[in-house]
């Protein structure tokens, strides 16, 4: 079966403001899934809370809309139970880098094959424009009574320090470029982050389409020798300073593209297989839990020596 992007489109009314960057992200996701020919039943999109987190309702796959800040642990549970499932986390900078920051960091240690799509508009759009973790210091957007007095989080640096092995940045209105990055991230054998810069025309009147498009440029276009691929410790030692230099570039120039792709670190499922042989062939999702509707393990017989009788 040859799939088209519209095969991943649901009948739900899309509840975003006109010109919201989420429209571009949604289309890029649908196109990427179609070009990878991913079966909807074997693909899951997990979101938290926020404008961006409505995306599971608009993509015809097997999705979960979770609690605020909790999409990553839910996605990890899906992937651990069924390593064959393609799992994507799509949520906002407030959700993933605010209340969900602990999960964002912990995921990097595991190098699980998950794709994190960070919808980055620097404001809490759903709750009317408060400063989100990626809003730069001293900016005053239209919904703020005073300038933002907290420094911004750099998602690329945080991911790098946490152990993510694929780190990229894209722009929501550049749908085809974003689509290609999503395909690469999904196929990467490890944890992948795409920080997606997106204008919020309703609440962020500073970081607008015009503001971004004066500043953004692509790494591989500006420097044809740019090579983010790491295949050894020697590669890392040699390239890391230049990678970090580009990750911290922000202001009058904002780079896009792949910053870092480490191919030398084992993904989590390979590590689990080493201590639990057979895990990949028979993960929890494929194991029977009952025989003729009766549980295989009965707690009051299997663990009777550990049960406190009252």
């Amino acid at each position: 079966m040859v799939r088209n992007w519209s095969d991943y489109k649901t009948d739900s009314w899309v509840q975003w403001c006109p010109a919201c960057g989420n429209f571009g992200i949604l289309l890029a996701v649908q196109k990427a899934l179609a070009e990878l020919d991913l079966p909807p039943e074997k693909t899951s999109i997990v979101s938290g809370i926020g404008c961006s987190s409505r995306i599971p309702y608009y993509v015809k796959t097997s999705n979960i809309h979770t609690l605020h800040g909790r999409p990553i642990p839910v996605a990890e549970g899906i992937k651990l139970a069924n390593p064959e499932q393609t799992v994507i986390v799509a949520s906002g900078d407030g959700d993933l880098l605010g209340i969900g920051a602990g999960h964002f960091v912990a995921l990097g240690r595991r190098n699980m094959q998950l794709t994190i799509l960070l919808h980055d508009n620097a404001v809490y759009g759903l709750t009317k424009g408060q400063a989100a973790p990626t809003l730069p210091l001293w900016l005053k957007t239209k919904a703020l009574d005073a300038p933002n007095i907290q420094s911004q989080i750099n998602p690329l640096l945080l991911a790098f320090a946490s152990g993510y092995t694929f780190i990229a940045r894209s722009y929501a209105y550049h749908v085809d470029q974003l689509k290609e990055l999503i395909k690469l991230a999904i196929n990467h054998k490890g944890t992948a982050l795409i920080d997606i810069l997106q204008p919020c025309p309703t609440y962020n009147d500073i970081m607008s389409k015009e503001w971004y498009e004066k500043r953004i440029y692509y790494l591989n276009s500006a420097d044809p020798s740019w090579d983010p691929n790491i295949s050894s410790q020697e590669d890392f030692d040699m390239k890391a300073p230049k990678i970090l230099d580009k990750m911290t570039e922000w202001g009058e120039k904002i780079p896009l593209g792949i910053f870092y792709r480490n191919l030398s670190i084992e993904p989590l499922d390979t590590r689990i297989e080493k201590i639990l042989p057979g895990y990949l062939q028979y993960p929890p999702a494929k194991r029977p839990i009952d025989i003729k509707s009766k549980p295989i393990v009965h707690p009051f017989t299997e663990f009777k020596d550990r049960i406190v009788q009252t």
Side-chain angles (χ1 to χ4, degrees):
M1 175 183 179
V2 177
R3 293 182 170 88
N4 185 274
W5 72 268
S6 59
D7 294 330
Y8 296 89
K9 183 179 179 181
T10 70
D11 294 329
S12 298
W13 175 52
V14 181
Q15 298 184 58
W16 290 322
C17 300
C20 176
N22 285 322
F23 285 101
I25 299 171
L26 172 61
L27 181 56
V29 168
Q30 292 166 330
K31 285 188 168 187
L33 298 182
E35 292 184 16
L36 291 173
D37 196 28
L38 294 175
E41 70 277 8
K42 293 185 177 180
T43 306
S44 297
I45 297 177
V46 185
S47 73
I49 297 297
C51 295
S52 59
S53 295
R54 292 178 173 138
I55 196 168
Y57 298 100
Y58 311 141
V59 184
K60 194 178 292 184
T61 44
S62 304
N63 305 331
I64 300 179
H65 188 185
T66 71
L67 302 175
H68 194 19
R70 302 298 180 261
I72 286 176
V74 173
E76 288 179 293
I78 296 169
K79 192 67 176 179
L80 284 170
N82 187 1
E84 296 177 1
Q85 192 81 358
T86 296
V87 185
I88 299 166
V89 172
S91 206
D93 50 316
D95 187 79
L96 292 175
L97 300 180
I99 188 172
H103 298 301
F104 182 91
V105 170
L107 177 61
R109 300 173 57 210
R110 301 177 181 125
N111 200 33
M112 184 180 293
Q113 191 172 351
L114 293 178
T115 299
I116 311 298
L117 303 181
L118 175 60
H119 300 230
D120 187 351
N121 61 14
V123 293
Y124 286 93
L126 189 66
T127 50
K128 308 300 184 262
Q130 299 91 337
T134 57
L135 186 69
L137 179 68
W138 296 122
L139 283 195
K140 182 184 180 303
T141 55
K142 64 191 292 186
L144 300 180
D145 291 332
N148 176 35
I149 59 171
Q150 300 187 77
S151 296
Q152 71 191 109
I153 289 176
N154 183 326
L156 308 182
L157 282 181
L158 184 59
F160 185 80
S162 302
Y164 285 61
T165 51
F166 181 105
I167 301 173
R169 181 192 281 143
S170 193
Y171 178 58
Y173 290 170
H174 290 180
V175 174
D176 286 337
Q177 291 92 331
L178 174 55
K179 172 204 68 177
E180 292 301 321
L181 276 180
I182 293 172
K183 288 161 60 180
L184 291 171
I186 288 172
N187 285 329
H188 176 70
K189 301 298 183 183
T191 304
L193 167 72
I194 305 177
D195 178 28
I196 309 170
L197 304 177
Q198 61 164 123
C200 174
T202 301
Y203 293 111
N204 191 337
D205 56 331
I206 296 176
M207 301 165 75
S208 63
K209 176 180 183 290
E210 294 73 23
W211 187 93
Y212 278 119
E213 293 180 2
K214 286 179 182 177
R215 292 165 169 79
I216 55 175
Y217 74 94
Y218 284 91
L219 288 164
N220 55 353
S221 297
D223 180 4
S225 67
W226 176 257
D227 181 10
N229 297 312
I230 306 293
S231 58
S232 65
Q233 185 62 46
E234 291 74 20
D235 257 357
F236 181 88
D237 294 340
M238 180 176 65
K239 296 178 181 178
K242 190 173 181 180
I243 288 170
L244 288 169
D245 181 60
K246 286 301 178 183
M247 285 183 175
T248 54
E249 185 176 7
W250 181 273
E252 293 308 308
K253 295 179 71 179
I254 301 174
L256 306 177
I258 301 174
F259 290 78
Y260 177 68
R261 177 164 51 191
N262 195 323
L263 308 173
S264 67
I265 299 176
E266 288 181 318
L268 185 68
D269 56 3
T270 302
R271 301 177 197 173
I272 294 175
E273 179 70 22
K274 288 181 176 179
I275 63 170
L276 294 174
Y279 164 73
L280 288 173
Q281 187 176 4
Y282 296 108
K286 292 185 177 180
R287 297 175 191 172
I289 61 172
D290 65 82
I291 298 175
K292 295 182 178 179
S293 300
K294 293 184 179 180
I296 292 173
V297 176
H298 195 289
F300 292 103
T301 56
E302 294 293 328
F303 306 111
K304 61 184 178 181
D305 58 326
R306 302 179 193 180
I307 296 174
V308 176
Q309 301 292 335
T310 58

